[in-house]
Amino acid sequence: MTSKPMGADAFHSLHRHGFVRVATATPRVRPADVVYNRDAVIAEARRAHDARADLVVFPELCLSSYAIDDLHLQTALNDAVETALGAVVAASETLAPVLLVGAPLRHEGRLYNCAVAISCGRILGVVPKSFLPNYREFYEKRWFAEGRGVTGRVMRLGAAEVPFGTDLIFEAEDLPGLIFHTEICEDFWAPVPPSSHAATEGALILTNLSASNIVIGKSDDRHVLCRSHGMRSFAAYAYSAAGPGESTTDLAWDGQGAVYEMGDLLAQSDRFDLEPELCMADVDTQRLLNERMRTGTFNDAGKGRERAFRRIRFEHRPHVEDVGLIRPIRRFPYVPNRESHLDLDCYEAFNIQVEGLRRRFEAVGGGKLVIGISGGLDSTHALIVAAKCCDKMGLPRDTILGYTMPGFATGDATKSNAWKLMRAMGIAAAEIDIRPAARQMLSDMGHPFSEGEPVYDVTFENVQAGLRTDYLFRLANQNRGIVVGTGDLSELALGWCTYGVGDQMSHYAVNAGVPKTLIQYLIRWSVTSGQFDPATDAILTAILDTEISPELVPAEADGGMQSTEEKIGPYALNDFFLFHTMRYGLPPSKVAFLCWHAWRDAEAGLWPIGFPEDKRRAYDLAEIRHWLEHFLKRFFGFSQFKRSALPNGPKVSAGGALSPRGDWRAPSDASAAVWVAELHENVPEG
């Protein structure tokens, strides 16, 4: 998909960022009351128009209603349906959305259960149902002809001939990404749904007009099918089931509507609602295309088959208005967000790291785990992982050799927390003051600091960082151990680590796949879930409340503690930028658009479970743009050489890792100019 040219003045339009607003509609119907049903469909179509929907999926046979048995074979009813369909088409002339309406339609002496695609006063095409259920409560072969094999045909409706068959994919010429296929109810339950083939031929939005009576547990089955089919097809799936008003002679109906995107539930309707339902979400078609492009299996699945679908192209006339964004956006995309799976997700995150370290420790033949403890987040989390590793292997905690190494700017609070943490974890603990060695090195180099001048440059900082790592490696040699790395994914993304002789290097980097926001959350979860005793919880809470700082520059130099986030930006934003840039390859303007919708209002949207209220804040577009530019320059143009020489460490999140042997391969001497230019051209400054 090639996006239209986009300037900063169109930044707030969802259509400019590859989104398509998809709705499922559940109108209230009456059995065989075609006029009533016609009016109900038109009313919901108008509601969808007012909500700025692009595509609306109605239930199966909604013009006639589904559960009318042999009445489907009555000429009077069939005539009335065709007349009603004409009225819906006429009403659509002034409506923006494409309508997918269910109707029984006659063709060449057969009656077909059809989905009719309608746009701007004309019928785009008619798709018959492929698979007709004829088991248990279903008896559709009594009334309808199956659509399988019906390809390349046309159907006459009124004065017009329209494309007819199961081989139709509809594509808007003027809205990239609005490429959809439709199937009907039972088609979805088949071993290979028709939409599977449509997806491999380019359909991005798969739709289902369904009746589907409700029984206990069937709603869950539908969710499983929607989710799994969307994941396998790298597509969105919009499902609309019949609801109130259908005949309950023998069956009942719940009106379930749902919109999924590649396995993610974007929206679902209230079931058994007596009022008409409009379930709506904005589907990210650019994300779908990017995932297909980067996943070779999807491309391979379409090989060896003749192109079997006709492309029905139409003019959609999309707007460029600011109509918001209707989809859940995670402020913290790396952080678990499923309350029902919270413990499992956190358990998995911890144990991926624990198992990675355990296997490496086993492979090198045991000895000691050597780790530097600063009293900060990263070393705290790495120590927790190391302690859990020892527990899993049945080793005493003093297998871990922890060292706190105060330098010229080490604060009393962090040093105290480091000691308290080491004692609470029961590890072998020691302290090495690196200042004498640092003074000697700075003196040998002729650095102004050695002459008493307050020069706190990068050399001053890296002498301290390098000495700490040098001590740890030599201590590992001395104790037949390995150095456990503490640096995290966020720091690697930004290059906020000292190359080679500093925190970029270790024998095994347990945190290399874990971003800062996830580390914070996992430590907080450790406290709230009672993983440790109250005394340890108090220490962990104090560490969480400490300003994130490398503590390499004395406080008196600038009047306060050296702040990492003042220098490189809030980790909450940087992790957001990283996820959408690395995982989905989105352009900076779209990353900014998503970030603005996620972070502009602290009172709106969902926060991670248990996230402290006093830490909830908002960011305006100017702040987002500023820090995103900073991120782009560091990520694309500065820090890759550090990642190219990354030690081993486990991937933890589906959001990806930056190992050159894993998710991310890039040249160390690339330019960030393309990404910065796209940001400047397409994102307003405020």
Side-chain angles (χ1 to χ4, degrees), residues 581-663:
T581 300
M582 175 176 65
R583 179 65 183 85
Y584 296 122
L586 301 183
S589 59
K590 183 166 183 174
V591 175
F593 178 77
L594 290 169
C595 191
W596 179 66
H597 276 285
W599 283 98
R600 61 179 175 167
D601 184 356
E603 301 300 320
L606 297 175
W607 290 85
I609 301 156
F611 195 88
E613 290 195 16
D614 62 346
K615 295 185 181 298
R616 301 179 181 185
R617 62 151 300 176
Y619 296 98
D620 61 29
L621 185 57
E623 292 175 288
I624 291 168
R625 188 183 191 273
H626 169 76
W627 289 120
L628 179 52
E629 180 174 352
H630 195 276
F631 169 86
L632 296 171
K633 290 177 178 177
R634 294 190 69 101
F635 182 76
F636 287 107
F638 165 70
S639 55
Q640 180 59 38
F641 78 99
K642 300 182 181 182
R643 300 190 290 265
S644 295
L646 186 64
N648 297 162
K651 176 180 176 178
V652 174
S653 167
L658 289 169
S659 168
R661 300 165 296 277
D663 286 285

Side-chain angles (χ1 to χ4, degrees), residues 74-95:
Q74 290 290 310
T75 301
L77 182 125
N78 293 326
D79 289 344
V81 166
E82 292 180 13
T83 301
L85 182 61
V88 174
V89 173
S92 74
E93 289 184 14
T94 58
L95 302 177

Side-chain angles (χ1 to χ4, degrees), residues 391-402:
D391 296 346
K392 186 172 184 178
M393 298 182 73
L395 299 173
R397 291 274 183 90
D398 61 10
T399 301
I400 304 167
L401 306 182

Side-chain angles (χ1 to χ4, degrees), residues 101-277:
V101 177
L105 295 177
R106 295 167 292 188
H107 179 64
E108 296 180 346
R110 299 176 180 89
L111 184 68
Y112 291 92
N113 181 342
C114 296
V116 185
I118 303 167
S119 174
C120 299
R122 71 185 182 100
I123 295 176
L124 302 178
V126 177
V127 179
K129 188 172 183 176
S130 291
F131 294 94
L132 301 178
N134 223 58
Y135 54 86
R136 296 197 298 272
E137 64 264 48
F138 303 110
Y139 208 4
E140 286 192 31
K141 289 185 179 180
R142 180 181 176 93
W143 313 300
F144 300 113
E146 66 179 31
R148 283 184 297 161
V150 178
T151 59
R153 310 280 188 88
V154 294
M155 170 186 280
R156 177 166 290 279
L157 287 173
E161 283 194 342
V162 299
F164 174 60
T166 58
D167 57 341
L168 305 183
I169 292 176
F170 303 91
E171 178 178 5
E173 294 178 330
D174 50 357
L175 180 56
L178 180 49
I179 308 170
F180 64 91
H181 171 269
T182 190
E183 58 194 6
I184 302 173
C185 202
E186 185 74 8
D187 295 347
F188 187 37
W189 299 78
V192 182
S195 56
S196 295
H197 299 308
T200 61
E201 291 204 20
L204 293 171
I205 303 169
L206 312 179
T207 65
N208 190 300
L209 288 72
S210 178
S212 188
N213 63 296
I214 187 63
V215 294
I216 296 171
K218 195 172 186 180
S219 174
D220 288 342
D221 294 342
R222 296 169 185 153
H223 279 297
V224 168
L225 289 171
C226 289
R227 184 181 183 195
S228 61
H229 194 45
M231 289 181 70
R232 283 195 306 270
S233 303
F234 296 89
Y237 203 90
Y239 178 88
S240 180
E246 284 284 356
S247 171
T248 56
T249 299
D250 293 300
L251 305 171
W253 317 86
D254 64 335
Q256 182 170 1
V259 181
Y260 275 82
E261 178 184 296
M262 215 166 61
D264 296 332
L265 178 61
L266 301 185
Q268 61 180 321
S269 65
D270 292 329
R271 297 163 58 222
F272 301 104
D273 194 341
L274 294 181
E275 296 302 317
E277 281 275 348

Side-chain angles (χ1 to χ4, degrees), residues 332-374:
F332 297 93
Y334 290 102
V335 172
N337 70 326
R338 303 178 299 173
E339 187 168 8
S340 61
H341 289 67
L342 177 62
D343 288 338
L344 175 61
D345 290 344
C346 293
Y347 165 85
E348 285 182 337
F350 269 118
N351 280 278
I352 289 168
Q353 294 178 270
V354 169
E355 176 56 20
L357 181 59
R358 183 205 66 78
R359 179 66 187 99
R360 178 52 54 92
F361 194 48
E362 177 184 69
V364 299
K368 298 291 184 180
L369 295 169
V370 178
I371 184 169
I373 307 299
S374 68

